[in-house]
Amino acid sequence: IMTLMFMIGLELSFNRLKQLKTLIFGLGTGQIMVTAVVIFGIAMAFGNSTQASILIGASFALSSTAIVMKLLQDNNLAARPVGIMSFSILLMQDLAVVPILVLAATFAAGEGGNVLQALGISMGIGAVTIAGIYVIGKFGMTRLLRALSASSSPEWLAAFVVFFVLACSGVTYAAGLSLALGAFLAGLLIGETEFRHEVEVIIDPIKGLLLGVFFLSIGMMTNVAEILRYPVLLALSVVGIFALKAAILFALSLAFKIPGRQSAEAALYLAQPGEFALMILGVALSTHVIPAQDVQFFLLVTVVAMMLTPFLFKLAPLAGSLGNRYFGELEHKSMSEAVGGQSRVLIAGFGRVGKLLADVLEEARIPYIAFDKNAKMVQTYKAQGYRIIYGDAEKSGLWRHLITQEVGVVVVATDAHHATVHILTAIRKDNPLLPVIVRGKHVDDLRSLFDKGANDAVAETLESSLRIAQILMERLGHDADEAHSILHKIRRLEAD
């Protein structure tokens, strides 16, 4: 759970929140509040206590980030409008887990006689703790991280991440909050630095394993015999939660002027309860806020619904067609406009050639992201305003994080031939058709680079660097005269 919350924190950044603010804080918050209130009312009608009903409503209002994002990626939908919309809602749901866990801890401590008062106290404690960690971490963590980056050992970043996550989690635990909250804050702070993508690559291999252990523990908590006790009620509950959540999200999406097709598809994608429902119900079980027999039933509803989610994805196109037929004419703001400008060029290596390419792209107003594994160089050029992050281009996992449908060209500007070959292999592993321009040290290197999948390869000189820039601009559809003017200006600057 801590690892999952840490990854959620890494995904969050203030820029991303700003770009998607309407979808995240508008539609996402509306979906959580309306769904939670409706399910709260149903739970109260079945005789549950106020505290239990609040936790039931809050937990079932959330969807499965792990399953939905994985299925969106597998179906090449993550970067499309419906995927961006789904991600935005999931992001708000993930963020809402923090106050829900704080509230559950307050209920467990027996302070929930007045629900609003308990929530206020919980949020107050949480706000003070979060503010303290943020202020200290924002300044102290960044300086420590950059000081440690001078180390030549490749393990320094992994060691620091473990230390920082445990330190933040220890502070939140000492304050009476959850360990997961501290991990989330650690991810949020590291996500604001140039080391974010490299940390994602480090965590990725163990994230799935630890999430598997979490689901295994939930499976051990679930009494399958309960299915035989209430087979009809269980089936009706699963169908009911699907129908209720889908109907609410569909109606809210239309209210936010989102086209019918996207509204219907997203409504089905997010209709299931998720892993955070399992976590919240687990807390409710261990603290006796909800009776054990009821928790077992709710766990079964959640697990069965999550298992059926892939089938909902198969039904989504049909629902989308119906939504488009009856609600497709609604005016709406383009999702691509909501996302804002995304990178079109990736530059691997930021030596003299990489920096020169970045200057050309800046002059042409072409968005790019450059990265290099020299941490001090990254810090220096980032301070000068270049869009550069820390990362090892030879790791295929980093390319999976960086390459999206908006990326038009990749330039490999490293100065070592063997590294360039490894980078080409890493890129071509998952992106066989993406245009790649590479820099070769010698003319003799070019043939092997073409064999490894390079679309264009240029030998090393100043003019070759400018030639790469010219090829790059032509690939992106810029006018030849405009390209010539920009390159001429760069030549004069280099001469000075």
Side-chain angles (χ1 to χ4, degrees), residues 240-384:
I241 196 70
F242 279 151
L244 179 65
K245 292 187 68 175
I248 291 173
L249 180 54
F250 180 69
L252 287 173
S253 299
L254 293 179
F256 275 79
K257 304 300 182 183
I258 294 173
R261 180 182 296 278
Q262 295 171 26
S263 298
E265 290 181 357
L268 281 187
Y269 293 157
L270 303 177
Q272 77 294 123
E275 58 273 2
F276 285 119
L278 300 175
M279 182 169 65
I280 296 167
L281 290 171
V283 172
L285 175 63
S286 62
T287 56
H288 308 292
V289 175
I290 302 177
Q293 185 174 350
D294 292 346
V295 170
Q296 287 293 337
F297 180 78
F298 294 136
L299 286 174
L300 280 177
V301 172
T302 303
V303 171
V304 172
M306 291 171 71
M307 290 173 60
L308 294 176
T309 299
F311 297 100
L312 288 184
F313 267 68
K314 296 184 182 299
L315 295 176
L318 176 60
S321 298
L322 294 174
N324 186 59
R325 178 182 300 175
Y326 296 107
F327 301 96
E329 70 280 359
L330 289 176
E331 296 181 1
H332 65 284
K333 180 180 178 181
S334 169
M335 287 292 168
S336 59
E337 294 177 20
V339 177
Q342 296 200 22
S343 300
R344 293 289 307 279
V345 179
L346 296 179
I347 303 175
F350 210 71
R352 184 169 182 273
V353 175
K355 179 179 176 298
L356 182 64
L357 292 174
D359 289 335
V360 173
L361 295 173
E362 289 278 4
E363 190 70 26
R365 300 179 182 274
I366 299 173
Y368 71 92
I369 288 180
F371 54 99
D372 198 287
K373 63 180 178 181
N374 185 325
K376 279 195 170 296
M377 178 190 292
V378 170
Q379 294 164 26
T380 300
Y381 285 123
K382 186 174 183 181
Q384 296 177 14

Side-chain angles (χ1 to χ4, degrees), residues 2 29 49 63 71 73 104 127 147 151 171 186-187 209-210 227 274 295 300 304 323 337 344 368 377 398 469 494:
M2 288 173 62
T29 301
S49 67
S63 305
L71 289 172
Q73 291 169 359
S151 171
V171 171
L209 175 63
L210 294 178
I227 297 177
V295 170
L300 280 177
V304 172
E337 294 177 20
R344 293 289 307 279
Y368 71 92
M377 178 190 292
L398 181 63
E494 288 294 312

Side-chain angles (χ1 to χ4, degrees), residues 51-371:
Q51 293 182 353
S53 297
I54 290 173
L55 293 184
I56 293 169
S59 60
F60 279 108
L62 309 180
S63 305
S64 175
T65 301
I67 294 177
V68 173
M69 290 308 300
K70 176 64 174 173
L71 289 172
L72 287 172
Q73 291 169 359
D74 291 345
N75 289 276
N76 298 316
L77 295 171
R80 296 184 180 179
V82 67
I84 294 168
M85 173 185 169
S86 301
F87 170 79
S88 301
I89 296 171
L90 289 169
L91 203 59
M92 188 63 226
Q93 291 181 359
D94 295 340
L95 195 57
V97 171
V98 174
I100 293 173
L101 288 176
V102 172
L103 186 61
T106 303
F107 288 164
E111 301 172 6
N114 185 321
V115 174
L116 293 178
Q117 181 182 2
L119 182 58
I121 294 173
S122 301
M123 295 304 295
I125 295 173
V128 171
T129 305
I130 290 171
I133 291 177
Y134 180 80
V135 171
I136 296 173
K138 184 69 175 177
F139 298 99
M141 181 273 298
T142 303
R143 293 180 180 178
L144 181 59
L145 188 61
R146 291 177 175 172
L148 290 172
S149 66
S151 171
S152 58
S153 172
E155 291 82 18
W156 71 269
L157 186 56
F160 177 81
V161 168
V162 173
F163 160 76
F164 191 61
V165 170
L166 292 178
C168 290
S169 298
V171 171
T172 55
Y173 185 75
L177 305 176
S178 69
L179 292 167
L181 174 59
F184 169 79
L185 293 174
L188 184 63
L189 288 167
I190 293 178
E192 291 294 317
T193 71
E194 62 268 27
F195 300 93
R196 169 192 156 194
H197 292 286
E198 187 69 11
V199 172
E200 287 180 336
V201 174
I202 293 172
I203 297 296
D204 233 13
I206 63 172
K207 180 183 67 173
L209 175 63
L210 294 178
L211 192 60
V213 173
F214 170 67
F215 282 119
L216 177 64
S217 67
I218 293 300
M220 295 171 66
M221 292 169 55
T222 304
N223 184 2
V224 182
E226 291 290 315
I227 297 177
L228 301 177
R229 293 185 60 184
Y230 310 104
V232 176
L233 182 60
L234 178 63
L236 291 175
S237 298
V238 171
V239 173
I241 196 70
F242 279 151
L244 179 65
K245 292 187 68 175
I248 291 173
L249 180 54
F250 180 69
L252 287 173
S253 299
L254 293 179
F256 275 79
K257 304 300 182 183
I258 294 173
R261 180 182 296 278
Q262 295 171 26
S263 298
E265 290 181 357
L268 281 187
Y269 293 157
L270 303 177
Q272 77 294 123
E275 58 273 2
F276 285 119
L278 300 175
M279 182 169 65
I280 296 167
L281 290 171
V283 172
L285 175 63
S286 62
T287 56
H288 308 292
V289 175
I290 302 177
Q293 185 174 350
D294 292 346
V295 170
Q296 287 293 337
F297 180 78
F298 294 136
L299 286 174
L300 280 177
V301 172
T302 303
V303 171
V304 172
M306 291 171 71
M307 290 173 60
L308 294 176
T309 299
F311 297 100
L312 288 184
F313 267 68
K314 296 184 182 299
L315 295 176
L318 176 60
S321 298
L322 294 174
N324 186 59
R325 178 182 300 175
Y326 296 107
F327 301 96
E329 70 280 359
L330 289 176
E331 296 181 1
H332 65 284
K333 180 180 178 181
S334 169
M335 287 292 168
S336 59
E337 294 177 20
V339 177
Q342 296 200 22
S343 300
R344 293 289 307 279
V345 179
L346 296 179
I347 303 175
F350 210 71
R352 184 169 182 273
V353 175
K355 179 179 176 298
L356 182 64
L357 292 174
D359 289 335
V360 173
L361 295 173
E362 289 278 4
E363 190 70 26
R365 300 179 182 274
I366 299 173
Y368 71 92
I369 288 180
F371 54 99

